[in-house]
Amino acid sequence: MTDHFTPANLDLAHEIIGRYPVKRSAMIPLLHLAQEQDGWVTEDAMRQIAELVEVTPAEVLGTCSFYEMFKRQPVGRFLINICGTLSCQLMGAEDLIHHAEQTLGITSGDTTPDGLFTLAVAECQAACTEAPCLQVNYRHRYKVTPADFDDLVEELRRQAGEGEGPDPQSPETAGVPRHGVLSVARQHIPAERAAGPSSPTTNQGPPVWMPPPDAEEPK
Amino acid sequence: MTLRGTTVPHAAGFVAGDRPRIVTAHFDDPEAHRLSRYEELGGYQGLRKALDSTPAEVHSVIRDATVLGRGGAGFPAGVKWGFCPEGVWPRYLVVNGDESEPGTYKDRLLMELDPHQLIEGALIACYAVGLTQCFLYVRGEMALAQERIATALNEAYAAGYVGRNIMGTDFSVDVVLHWGAGAYVVGEETALIESLEGKRGMPRLKPPYFPAAIGLYGQPTIVNNVETLSNMPWIMNHGAEAYRAIGTESSPGTRMVAVSGHVKRPGVYEIVNGSTTFRDLIYGEDMCGGIREDRELKAFVPGGGSAPWFLPEQLDIPFEGRQASAAGSMLGSGAVIVMDETTDIPRAALSLTHFYAHESCGKCTPCREGGTWLERIMTRIVDGYGTERDLQLLTEVGQSICPGAFPHAADSSRGLEAVPFPYRMNTICFVGPSAYAPVNSALTLFPEEFEARVRRDEGVPVAAPGRESRV
Ligand SMILES: Cc1cc2nc3c(=O)[nH]c(=O)nc-3n(C[C@H](O)[C@H](O)[C@H](O)COP(=O)(O)O)c2cc1C
Ligand code: SF4
């Protein structure tokens, strides 16, 4: 048994798996959980996820490597994704990207030597009317000018100087959670309220609230 | 700019004109995402109405209302709900919140500003069709939407609106928040299902054409867009008649449209379906108010990055599917991208082609290889190293992805007639043809901009060292 998740995260992992009719469906949420714990997805984490959802580690890697958000090597504490798709491009994204590279002294795809910032040119972020936009650890910033960008970098540097950053469990804290922490609120289904997952392997007929087919009105 | 991890306010994007509002009705209320406020605004009354009727009655209300799917294909929701095969149980609901089509910005707003409306809509669908588990698939890059939905679900469970014995009845269904990890193609419904099964998000071969027959875990599965389902509470509260009284016979109700690019007031507008024209939207004083600095309109993308482009002469076409198809494009996901006279057309097309080439899942060769070829050829043309031969090559590659006449708009100044939508395709899903759509639009409607580039005419931009296109 690989022992990579912390006990608290292992409990969470079991809770997440329990919501799905088929364990494998929990794979992407568990990869996110691993990334939240470590800042990126390690091989050990993938091995443990494989055990938890009962597939091979290769299958976990197969899924993990398909998705852009899963980083299989360390990235900066703040991942800055600048949108380069059409709506943002029309409103000056190319200049913003150029400016960001100058300010941070790196080209997109790279991480600053102090490990604080990774810069990337990203695809459409569903904020097209607020162009040009960017995301810091998947939190939006709208209509970003080069001056705004510099302020943002300042602000994030200051925040980093103040310590570990917000507690991922506390939604009220100000600031941007470090890379890997996505949603700071979690779904929790109380046992006494749960309807339970619907298993695809047993056909138990229509649910109780559906009248049997012969009772249905003619179409 | 203030930094607050979870409470970043939206930039004002809506101009509330004197129009009917169905799905955006609560958008001016910053507290509407909380259950207590949502209840004060009449929340969960649509679900209660549904539970007071039989599932078949609810289904027929939705069928009569004719809610055209808002995810892109425009298929009526009530009809799709009827495609589940008899006697095969369980059935699932998958809510498609993967919004990532270039230019599209509406589902994220619905999830962030009014998550309970979406949950209520999903529950109405579950009740009507006998779906026993719902997966709400939110795009990975939307941290705030995930937070709002997680919080809303926790509240709704505690209040008895979701889970076991909903509102004291024997209707029981779990709504599970699931989130993606960054892949555009996962928005395609069969890829969404693969992803939800923990696999690489690659579209499935068709037929079957509808996951309603064979979907999640091989079971009947309804996949609906966020906006589609957000309409359901209003329809239950007001009835199918009232819904059909808005909009036109073929396109009832309202729809959300994001207008971005070179307009005075870019924003997300809820417009009357079927009758509102692109001119109303782009030039209307209660909407975008015209082109920035009163410049001339050059072209616009009418329905998301995949849609062939329109010219100013198509401005009077309404938001009605058949008319948009006949004119050579589609309404798609409700995303209009406006380009003014200063726009560098080949560069704009490259931006979109890059997107689709990058997002190809690699399952079919014409898309995987063709998309990359298109991107590379376009890059060298834009950067000033293209040749005459490249222009022909673009068309040849495009033809290998989607053979035959590719849809495009009419340009009467050059005697060009429209080729209606859709196209023929050699690929499993629309990503392949989408890589070619912007190239074809740009080449067909603005050939002189490409010719000037490959001739290296004076004054035509050439990339400075270090400023080459980022692809
Ligand atoms: C490449 C591709 C991407 C898509 N992306 C989305 C998406 O992000 N959101 C969405 O709702 N539908 C998307 N669709 C459409 C879905 O396949 C599906 O038709 C839709 O979710 C059905 O819901 P509706 O009937 O309520 O519109 C996409 C389709 C394709 C081919
Ligand atoms: S068209 Fe492209 S994205 Fe779609 S299935 Fe084929 S390779 Fe994948």
Side-chain angles (χ1 to χ4, degrees), chain B residues 386-403:
Chain B
T387 63
E388 296 271 353
R389 172 82 182 92
D390 281 340
L391 302 186
Q392 198 191 329
L393 198 54
L394 284 174
T395 317
E396 285 168 21
V397 176
Q399 286 294 317
S400 69
I401 301 172
C402 28

Side-chain angles (χ1 to χ4, degrees), chain A:
Chain A
M1 192 72 198
T2 319
D3 189 14
H4 184 78
F5 280 115
T6 62
N9 281 342
L10 193 58
D11 286 348
L12 266 174
H14 285 297
E15 184 186 335
I16 292 169
I17 294 169
R19 289 178 206 152
Y20 295 92
V22 173
K23 287 183 175 181
R24 185 181 177 135
S25 282
M27 187 146 19
I28 291 176
L30 294 192
L31 284 163
H32 276 299
L33 187 64
Q35 184 150 283
E36 174 171 327
Q37 177 176 305
D38 305 314
W40 56 293
V41 183
T42 66
E43 287 197 1
D44 259 2
M46 284 190 263
R47 253 179 235 117
Q48 192 172 10
I49 291 171
E51 288 166 12
L52 286 167
V53 305
E54 296 167 9
V55 298
T56 66
E59 287 175 285
V60 179
L61 176 60
T63 295
C64 179
S65 59
F66 184 82
Y67 296 92
E68 190 100 30
M69 287 173 75
F70 295 134
K71 308 296 180 194
R72 281 170 297 131
Q73 59 283 314
V75 294
R77 173 162 163 180
F78 301 112
L79 171 64
I80 302 184
N81 282 326
I82 303 183
C83 177
T85 309
L86 185 57
S87 303
C88 284
Q89 186 212 41
L90 290 172
M91 301 304 285
E94 287 173 14
D95 288 337
L96 181 62
I97 293 161
H98 189 68
H99 176 84
E101 292 184 336
Q102 302 296 313
T103 300
L104 295 176
I106 52 175
T107 47
S108 57
D110 284 348
T111 302
T112 52
D114 60 6
L116 273 189
F117 300 101
T118 299
L119 183 66
V121 178
E123 310 286 12
C124 187
Q125 301 173 342
C128 315
T129 64
E130 315 302 317
C133 66
L134 60 78
Q135 290 189 314
V136 189
N137 295 346
Y138 307 105
R139 280 149 206 284
H140 287 87
R141 295 292 176 275
Y142 299 131
K143 294 186 172 147
V144 184
T145 64
D148 290 338
F149 185 85
D150 295 347
D151 291 347
L152 171 68
V153 168
E154 272 294 289
E155 188 90 42
L156 292 172
R157 280 221 169 91
R158 198 172 320 132
Q159 189 195 309
E162 284 163 10
E164 249 306 282
D167 174 3
Q169 305 304 333
S170 152
E172 299 311 322
T173 329
V176 178
R178 63 180 164 73
H179 178 260
V181 179
L182 205 49
S183 170
V184 297
R186 286 187 210 283
Q187 180 179 15
H188 174 68
I189 303 179
E192 71 285 1
R193 291 281 320 123
S198 299
S199 166
T201 50
T202 46
N203 185 342
Q204 297 186 331
V208 285
W209 73 88
M210 292 294 277
D214 46 24
E216 253 176 70
E217 298 150 48
K219 293 226 168 99

Side-chain angles (χ1 to χ4, degrees), chain B residues 181-437:
Chain B
Y184 160 72
V185 67
V186 164
E188 197 274 347
E189 55 194 4
T190 59
L192 191 74
I193 287 170
E194 288 281 302
S195 178
L196 191 49
E197 291 182 357
K199 302 177 188 148
R200 295 167 80 84
M202 294 167 145
R204 290 178 180 172
L205 265 173
K206 297 162 183 76
Y209 292 98
F210 284 100
I214 299 179
L216 184 63
Y217 314 126
Q219 294 296 116
T221 303
I222 299 296
V223 181
N224 269 136
N225 169 261
V226 164
E227 186 189 345
T228 310
L229 291 171
S230 295
N231 277 283
M232 303 306 166
W234 192 95
I235 296 170
M236 288 317 297
N237 280 321
H238 297 84
E241 279 290 295
Y243 188 78
R244 295 186 61 91
I246 303 168
T248 62
E249 177 76 28
S250 61
S251 301
T254 63
R255 70 176 294 167
M256 287 173 79
V257 182
V259 197
S260 58
H262 298 153
V263 287
K264 286 185 182 157
R265 272 196 307 273
V268 185
Y269 300 92
E270 181 168 3
I271 61 166
V272 172
N273 217 353
S275 58
T276 308
T277 65
F278 287 100
R279 187 185 302 281
D280 297 335
L281 188 66
I282 296 173
Y283 287 95
E285 270 318 310
D286 61 343
M287 294 195 243
C288 295
I291 310 296
R292 62 168 186 184
E293 294 166 35
D294 290 320
R295 293 198 181 125
E296 292 297 317
L297 171 66
K298 192 166 185 177
F300 60 99
V301 185
S306 307
W309 300 358
F310 277 163
L311 296 170
E313 75 179 83
Q314 280 84 36
L315 274 173
D316 292 310
I317 292 172
F319 273 81
E320 198 280 321
R322 267 170 301 185
Q323 294 181 60
S325 305
S329 191
M330 61 165 184
L331 300 178
S333 51
V336 177
I337 307 174
V338 177
M339 296 177 264
D340 75 11
E341 58 191 310
T342 65
T343 308
D344 180 338
I345 291 287
R347 205 176 189 90
L350 170 60
S351 164
L352 288 174
T353 297
H354 164 70
F355 177 90
Y356 294 103
H358 181 80
E359 295 296 338
S360 167
C361 80
K363 189 163 176 168
C364 16
T365 316
C367 168
R368 183 186 61 239
E369 302 298 322
T372 313
W373 273 64
L374 290 175
E375 183 190 2
R376 290 196 185 153
I377 302 165
M378 285 292 287
T379 303
R380 62 179 183 248
I381 295 172
V382 166
D383 285 349
Y385 312 110
T387 63
E388 296 271 353
R389 172 82 182 92
D390 281 340
L391 302 186
Q392 198 191 329
L393 198 54
L394 284 174
T395 317
E396 285 168 21
V397 176
Q399 286 294 317
S400 69
I401 301 172
C402 28
F406 198 90
H408 63 74
D411 181 357
S412 49
S413 70
R414 289 188 295 117
L416 196 67
E417 282 183 30
V419 173
F421 203 79
Y423 35 72
R424 294 173 52 200
M425 50 197 257
N426 284 342
T427 55
I428 297 173
C429 86
F430 286 103
V431 172
S434 300
Y436 185 55

